[in-house]
C-alpha cells in the first residue's frame, strides 16, 4: 500500500476511535445518574427540579449522540470523496493567487461547516433550552449572533491564516517560529481587548453601581490584595437564565464581569465569595500559568506542523495530486488531534487543581459557607449533573464535580 493510502486510513481510524471513545464516556456518564437527589444538595435542589434535571440530561444526551454522529458521517463521506481536494479545485477556478486561494478555501470550508451546524444550534436553543426554561434568546438575537460570528470568524481567522500562509511563503523552514511569535502577539492583543472590543458586540456591560454589593466587593478585594477598579455587570439574561462571572484582560484593562443573572439569584455574601474565587485565580497566577502552557503547546504544534506539512503524502491522503499547504494543514489537524487530546487532558487536570486552590483562596477572604451555597445555587440553576461518572470527570471536566468541591470547602469552614 502506498504511503498516502495508509495515511488516509490512519486519518479515518483516528476519527472513528475518537468518536467511539467519546460515546463510551457519554454512556458511562449516563449510567451513573443518581435516581434521587443527593442528601447534601436537597436544600437547593428540590426533587422536582432534580426530575427536570434528569429529563434535561436525557434530551441532551440523545441530541449529542445524533449531532455528533451526523457530523462524523458528513466528514467521513467528504473525506471518502476527496471533498477537500474538490473544494480546492473549485477555488482554483476563481483564483490561483498564493494568498487568496487558501483563504477562499478555508472560507468555503468554514462557511459550509457553519451552515451544517445551524439547524443543530437552532434546535438546541429554541427547542431544548426553551423547553427547560433556559432560553432567553430571541430569533433576532440568534440571527444577529450568527452574522456577527461569521464576520468576527472571517476577520480573526482570515488574519491568523493569512499570517501563517504569508510566513510559509516567505520564511521557509522557519515559518513555524514566525507563526508562533505572530500568534503570541495576537493572543496578547486579544486577551487585553476582549472585553472592550469583542464582548460589546454581543453584550452590554455597565459598571456596577455604588451600594451594598459594591462596597462588600471592594472590602473583600482589598483584603485579598487585589486592586479592583473595574467591576461590570453584563446582560447575560439576554440569552440565558444561567449565571456566571469571569475575569478578563490584564494591566489597566483587567476587569471582573458579573452576569446580571448572578446578581439576581445570589445573596451579597455569595457573590462576594464567587468573586473571591475569581480573584484567587488571578492572585495564585493560574491565569498566567495556563496562558504560558497554552503558548508552549501552540509552539510544539507549530514545530511539528513545520516538520510535516511539506510531506506530499499528507496532501495526497486527502485527494490532492500535488502537495498543497492548506490541504496538508487539514490533514495535519486531524492527525494531530490525539496529541492535542492528550495535552488537553493535562490542561483539564491542571484546571481542576486550580479550581480547588481558588476555592481555598476564596474561603480565606470570604465565607466558605457562602461559596458553598453559591455553588449549589449556580449548579442547580444550570441543572448540572450532581453525580457524573469519575472517568467522564477525569477526561472532560475543567471543574471538579460540585459534591467534591463542597467537601473540600467543608474543611475550610471556621468553627
Ligand atoms: Zn474557577
Amino acid at each position: 500500500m502506498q504511503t498516502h493510502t495508509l495515511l488516509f486510513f490512519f486519518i479515518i481510524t483516528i476519527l472513528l476511535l475518537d468518536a467511539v471513545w467519546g460515546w463510551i464516556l457519554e454512556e458511562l456518564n449516563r449510567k451513573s445518574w443518581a435516581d434521587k437527589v443527593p442528601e447534601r444538595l436537597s436544600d437547593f435542589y428540590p426533587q422536582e427540579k432534580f426530575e427536570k434535571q434528569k429529563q434535561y440530561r436525557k434530551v441532551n444526551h440523545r441530541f449529542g449522540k445524533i449531532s455528533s454522529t451526523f457530523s462524523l458521517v458528513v466528514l467521513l463521506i467528504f473525506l471518502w470523496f476527496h471533498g477537500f481536494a474538490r473544494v480546492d479545485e473549485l477555488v482554483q477556478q476563481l483564483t490561483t493567487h498564493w494568498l487568496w486561494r487558501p483563504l477562499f478555501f478555508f472560507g468555503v470550508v468554514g462557511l459550509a461547516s457553519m451552515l451544517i451546524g445551524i439547524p443543530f444550534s437552532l434546535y438546541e436553543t429554541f427547542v431544548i433550552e426553551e423547553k427547560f426554561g433556559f432560553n432567553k434568546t430571541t430569533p433576532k438575537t440568534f440571527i444577529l449572533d450568527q452574522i456577527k460570528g461569521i464576520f468576527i470568524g472571517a476577520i480573526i481567522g482570515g488574519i491568523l491564516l493569512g499570517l501563517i500562509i504569508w510566513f510559509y511563503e516567505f520564511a521557509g523552514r522557519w515559518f513555524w517560529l514566525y507563526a508562533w511569535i505572530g500568534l503570541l502577539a495576537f493572543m496578547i492583543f486579544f486577551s487585553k481587548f476582549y472585553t472592550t472590543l469583542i464582548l460589546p458586540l454581543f453584550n452590554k456591560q455597565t459598571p456596577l453601581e455604588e451600594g451594598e454589593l459594591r462596597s462588600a466587593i471592594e472590602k473583600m478585594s482589598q483584603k485579598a490584595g487585589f486592586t479592583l477598579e473595574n467591576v461590570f455587570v453584563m446582560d447575560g439574561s439576554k440569552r440565558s437564565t444561567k449565571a456566571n462571572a469571569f475575569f478578563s484582560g490584564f494591566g489597566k484593562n483587567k476587569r471582573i464581569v458579573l452576569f446580571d443573572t448572578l446578581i439576581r439569584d445570589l445573596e451579597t455574601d455569595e457573590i462576594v465569595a464567587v468573586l473571591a474565587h475569581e480573584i484567587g485565580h488571578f492572585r495564585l497566577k493560574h491565569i498566567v500559568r495556563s496562558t504560558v502552557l497554552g503558548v508552549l503547546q501552540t509552539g510544539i504544534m507549530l514545530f511539528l506542523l513545520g516538520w510535516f506539512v511539506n510531506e506530499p503524502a499528507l496532501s495526497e491522503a486527502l485527494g490532492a495530486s500535488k502537495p498543497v499547504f492548506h490541504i496538508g494543514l487539514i490533514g495535519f489537524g486531524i492527525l494531530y488531534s490525539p496529541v492535542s487530546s492528550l495535552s488537553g487532558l493535562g490542561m483539564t487536570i491542571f484546571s481542576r487543581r486550580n479550581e480547588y486552590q481558588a476555592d481555598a483562596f476564596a474561603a480565606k477572604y470570604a465565607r466558605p459557607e457562602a461559596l458553598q451555597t453559591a455553588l449549589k445555587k449556580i449548579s442547580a440553576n444550570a441543572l448540572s449533573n450532581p453525580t457524573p461518572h469519575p472517568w467522564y470527570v477525569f477526561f472532560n471536566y475543567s471543574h471538579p464535580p460540585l459534591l467534591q468541591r463542597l467537601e473540600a470547602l467543608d474543611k475550610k469552614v471556621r468553627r
Side-chain angles (χ1 to χ4, degrees):
M1 220 191 289
Q2 282 172 298
T3 321
H4 66 89
T5 321
L6 212 66
L7 210 53
F8 173 79
F9 285 109
F10 194 47
I11 285 175
I12 301 280
T13 311
I14 286 179
L15 290 171
L16 286 173
L17 284 181
D18 182 57
V20 170
W21 176 237
W23 289 327
I24 291 175
L25 285 181
E26 288 290 341
E27 213 46 45
L28 283 175
N29 200 34
R30 191 180 65 83
K31 292 223 173 81
S32 87
W33 295 345
D35 292 325
K36 269 178 59 197
V37 57
E39 187 58 43
R40 181 92 213 238
L41 306 178
S42 52
D43 45 353
F44 288 101
Y45 225 139
Q47 190 61 34
E48 146 231 6
K49 201 166 199 167
F50 188 69
E51 292 303 325
K52 197 173 150 194
Q53 189 268 346
K54 279 202 290 191
Q55 274 314 104
Y56 182 61
R57 291 278 126 194
K58 204 188 256 172
V59 172
N60 266 323
H61 180 77
R62 207 182 309 135
F63 178 70
K65 242 182 0 200
I66 293 170
S67 64
S68 65
T69 312
F70 180 80
S71 43
L72 177 67
V73 169
V74 169
L75 182 58
L76 289 177
I77 293 175
F78 197 68
L79 284 169
W80 192 263
F81 290 103
H82 295 159
F84 291 109
R86 293 275 155 85
V87 171
D88 189 47
E89 281 162 24
L90 280 178
V91 169
Q92 279 189 83
Q93 292 175 3
L94 273 173
T95 174
T96 52
H97 187 269
W98 63 272
L99 180 63
W100 295 123
R101 178 178 155 201
L103 283 186
F104 271 122
F105 172 82
F106 282 112
V108 171
V109 171
L111 203 62
S113 80
M114 212 196 110
L115 288 178
I116 292 171
I118 282 184
F120 289 99
S121 110
L122 272 172
Y123 187 83
E124 190 174 12
T125 311
F126 293 106
V127 180
I128 300 180
E129 298 287 292
E130 181 77 39
K131 186 177 164 201
F132 290 94
F134 292 130
N135 181 43
K136 291 282 171 275
T137 310
T138 60
K140 190 182 153 201
T141 310
F142 184 87
I143 294 170
L144 284 176
D145 280 357
Q146 298 294 328
I147 294 174
K148 290 175 203 165
I150 293 178
F151 270 101
I152 293 172
I155 292 170
I156 294 178
I159 292 176
L160 287 179
L161 273 166
L163 269 177
I164 292 177
I165 294 158
W166 184 60
F167 289 141
Y168 178 74
E169 285 293 316
F170 295 106
R173 61 187 286 249
W174 291 105
F175 93 93
W176 66 272
L177 195 61
Y178 289 82
W180 192 23
I181 295 166
L183 278 180
L184 189 62
F186 182 82
M187 265 168 71
I188 292 171
F189 176 84
F190 192 81
S191 63
K192 194 162 171 70
F193 295 105
Y194 173 71
T195 50
T196 43
L197 284 181
I198 309 282
L199 199 57
L201 298 174
F202 294 94
N203 283 93
K204 238 194 240 116
Q205 301 165 82
T206 39
L208 177 64
E209 54 196 52
E210 296 294 328
E212 187 215 347
L213 177 60
R214 184 156 188 131
S215 38
I217 292 173
E218 276 165 3
K219 213 173 113 194
M220 175 276 296
S221 60
Q222 210 166 27
K223 259 202 317 189
F226 182 81
T227 34
L228 184 83
E229 278 159 20
N230 306 311
V231 190
F232 284 81
V233 181
M234 191 183 95
D235 57 347
S237 58
K238 185 171 148 192
R239 291 190 179 75
S240 170
T241 59
K242 292 175 183 174
N244 206 350
F246 64 90
F247 191 92
S248 180
F250 53 86
K252 262 203 174 135
N253 286 65
K254 72 172 184 268
R255 62 169 73 173
I256 279 178
V257 181
L258 303 171
F259 281 39
D260 53 357
T261 39
L262 193 79
I263 297 182
R264 194 191 56 203
D265 296 342
L266 267 54
E267 307 293 330
T268 299
D269 61 345
E270 292 167 346
I271 299 172
V272 168
V274 169
L275 284 185
H277 170 100
E278 295 302 323
I279 289 175
H281 280 310
F282 184 82
R283 292 271 292 152
L284 300 167
K285 302 207 163 41
H286 296 159
I287 299 175
V288 177
R289 284 187 194 143
S290 46
T291 310
V292 169
L293 282 176
V295 169
L296 284 178
Q297 282 177 13
T298 315
I300 293 171
M301 185 193 71
L302 285 169
F303 171 72
L304 291 173
L305 173 71
W307 206 351
F308 284 115
V309 80
N310 286 322
E311 171 60 43
L314 203 53
S315 301
E316 287 163 10
L318 297 188
S321 47
K322 283 191 300 241
V324 185
F325 178 70
H326 48 275
I327 293 184
L329 206 56
I330 288 188
F332 178 81
I334 301 174
L335 288 173
Y336 187 72
S337 63
V339 184
S340 81
S341 302
L342 261 182
S343 61
L345 177 61
M347 287 300 268
T348 53
I349 294 171
F350 180 66
S351 159
R352 285 194 300 267
R353 188 201 70 136
N354 290 348
E355 291 306 321
Y356 281 125
Q357 289 185 354
D359 280 350
F361 182 93
K364 242 188 270 171
Y365 298 101
R367 288 178 50 240
E369 300 92 326
L371 185 57
Q372 287 179 320
T373 53
L375 290 173
K376 282 192 204 177
K377 279 186 185 174
I378 292 171
S379 61
N381 271 355
L383 297 183
S384 53
N385 179 8
T387 55
H389 192 275
W391 286 22
Y392 194 84
V393 172
F394 183 75
F395 286 100
N396 291 328
Y397 269 43
S398 62
H399 288 58
L402 175 62
L403 283 172
Q404 273 149 265
R405 284 177 82 177
L406 294 179
E407 269 164 35
L409 277 166
D410 282 342
K411 299 189 189 107
K412 310 284 175 194
V413 174
R414 292 176 279 272
R415 270 175 267 267

